[in-house]
Amino acid sequence: MSTSPTNKDAFRSGEESRRAGGFARYRAAIPVLVLLAFTAALLWPLCRGRALYWGDILFYFEPMAAFAQSHLEHGRLPLWNPYVLCGQPFLGNPQMGLFYPSTVLLEFFPVWLYLSLNTLLHVFLSGAFCFLYLRRWSVHRASALAGAMVYMGSSYLMARLQFPPMIQTAPFLPLLLYWLDLNIDRPRPEFRLGLALTIALSILAAHAQLAYMTLACGIAYALMRLWSQRGPRRDRPGLWGFTLQVFALGWVGILGVALTAIQSLPALQLMKASTREALTPALANRFVLQPQQLLTLLEPHFFGHPATADYWGGGNAWEPAIFVGWLPLLLIGYAVVRCSQERLVRFWAILALLGIWLALGIMGGLYWIAFYAVPGISNFHDPARFLFVATFAFAVLSSVGIDALRERTKWCNRRMCYGALICIGLPLAWFGQEWNPTTTAAAVRGGERHEPYTIGQAARGRIYLPEHSLYWRRFVTDGYSDYGPSDPRAIQSLRQTSLPNLPMGQGIAMAAGYEPVPISALTGIDGLARSAFRRGEPNMNNLLSLMDVGIVALPTFQHTFDPGLLLLSSQEVPGRRAWYAEVGVPPAKVWLVRRTLHVEGRMRVSAVMSSPGFDPRQEAIITGSGAAAVALSGPNEVVPTSIPLLDLSEIEARMRVDAGSQPAYLVYASTAYPGWTGWIDGKSVSPLRTDGAFLGLPIPPGRHDVTFEYRPAICRLGAFMSLVAAGLCAAMMVPIGLTRLRIGRTRGPVVQRELTEGVEI
């Protein structure tokens, strides 16, 4: 094989271009390596094998993830959680992303390691997707890297690692904007598909509040981009073209939301039945950004910090966290002053101001208006979380600032940009690590069962903590100013206490517990029981027996003189002692009564249940349609106060009931919720709401096989809608595949001819 002189030059130039292309590919990997290194700098303890433990991640997310893991390992979906608040739906819990892709890691790793890997992954993705979006708008890669580092290392994200759903949702705001840009600039089927999947992932990531803000920002951004393109020129769409583009993006958004129906429909059902529906502006105004806390933009420790045990600011330290570094503030100011004519700068500057204004809560005024005027805001509390929008806007403006300096000044060269990246990264890495205390892996693993669990297993009922807020205040609320002991032995000892929701890990049910979206009917019963305990009212034992309480856990300094509470023993817990009392009325999950009372209205039901004469083992309060038809006036004969269960699982309870010669009414001490079905001798019967929050069935005379089963229809409907949406997405991929196949067939001979033209054989 020989080569002619002319073809030699062509061949040589081809080789050089291929080498340049290879080098370009290596250069393209540099931002990824920088972001990986910055992730490691931010979360170095997790990279060394230590584990997150403080706050909600220990008391809520770790027990919930362990519960999900126990089901997923056996190929089952956890539909119902019987261990908290007498039962709560698990599929539909807005903070449990069962269908989010990273949940598959639970199949392969222990819970503590899953939480660490999940955190590392999503902090990196926050930076990577932000870089991907900013690269479309920046001239230089260093500018996009700067914005990505500001976003992923901001105090807003670093202060929220104890809330895994928030970290899971954060990466999808920049990714959503990236796909919106592609769909607006060059509409193609694959870009539509990418946008739909991003919307679905932002919802499946399981933090409804951040997903709400993400989609709201995406809608505002898309309208801004589309409106800026309309005009009198022929190559720009008019009002009709603008409307068509909005419609095209709208149906893609609907498709993305439909993909999540299997999770979002049960979540909406739970939201409607929860206390969130009764929020007022005053109740929602829980954690806000106080105006003086804007000083933390300049001095992160102006109000102290839990890491140094000297936080004295309002609320907690992490909700108003807004620090993004010092150099980004200068870059933001430069971008706003020198680039104010650019539409992108004006848009993000306005969103930053709106985010800060809304974060002020009621005192700012705008949040009060939005609470009533904007659909959906009234279902969320903590206005300070609107700083999420401001933080991302800061990242974008920081990127614009570096780009503007590089283009408009002679002294800002490539080396200066690299130095700026270092000046941005070092403060964020320094202050970012202190937000999340870590411990050894051994401290967060399960250990020996301490006395609370021994007592809890010996009892035939649930554990109840009428004063758990006293403990909660020490380990969480007081933790606003102090993270507390970090010694692994203290943490492991804490894990063995009966603080909510730690008993879930040992399979022990609680009549109380912590749930951000609780069923309102059950929280009403819990409130009645707490009030009766604190006031020493005589109906306290009746209310406890209604919730199937067998053990009451109290601190030793909390005295009670109720003769129905019998001291069992005391147990040392970190910083406190607790004693455990047995309820005088024997606990029972299922029992029969002969008398029923039809009462409608939550206030009326609470009034009857609060009366001293109400005995849930003798009569039942029934509510709802059909309640009047099953009213009983007995008793004429004795009925068993407790019925043994033949089989009991999270979603099913089977029993054999003998009602005797007269009709009776059966009460099951599990939270009434849509999806529960009753069966009597194989025939389906709709349960009635009983005693304000529980399940009940009218039982005919004689012996019967009775079953309660939780099979929510809303989940089946959601699964069907998600499958239909997935089928539409698959149909969108068909033309994409055909187009690529056609291009590949035409490109093959052309490429082959180009390669052989420079070679003489």
Side-chain angles (χ1 to χ4, degrees), residues 52-68 81 83-85 88-97 111 114-115 162-165 206-207 270 276 472 476 495 499-505 512-519:
L52 298 168
Y53 74 90
W54 190 83
D56 283 32
I57 205 164
L58 173 66
F59 292 103
Y60 184 73
F61 291 105
E62 193 273 342
M64 290 290 185
F67 177 76
N81 177 12
Y83 299 112
V84 178
L85 288 170
Q88 282 267 139
F90 195 89
L91 178 58
N93 186 320
Q95 299 200 64
M96 297 294 110
V111 173
Y114 155 75
L115 293 171
Q162 61 169 304
F163 306 105
H207 197 274
L270 178 59
R276 297 297 181 103
W472 192 263
V476 176
R495 282 178 50 84
L499 282 169
N501 295 329
L502 295 177
M504 281 184 61
Y514 169 64
E515 179 54 60
V517 188
I519 298 175

Side-chain angles (χ1 to χ4, degrees), residues 681-710:
D681 296 330
K683 296 181 179 179
S684 176
V685 181
S686 297
L688 295 173
R689 183 181 295 274
T690 304
D691 295 332
F694 301 98
L695 295 168
L697 285 176
I699 305 297
R703 295 184 177 182
H704 305 279
D705 290 326
V706 179
T707 302
F708 287 95
E709 189 177 28
Y710 183 67

Side-chain angles (χ1 to χ4, degrees), residues 5 228 233 246 394 540 608 655 680 699 718:
S228 66
R233 286 168 46 182
V246 170
F394 289 163
M540 182 192 71
V608 174
M655 62 213 76
I680 300 177
I699 305 297

Side-chain angles (χ1 to χ4, degrees), residues 645-665:
L645 294 169
L646 302 178
D647 187 24
L648 178 65
S649 65
E650 285 90 352
I651 61 173
E652 188 179 43
R654 292 193 302 108
M655 62 213 76
R656 184 162 291 132
V657 179
D658 188 358
S661 60
Q662 296 185 10
Y665 191 84

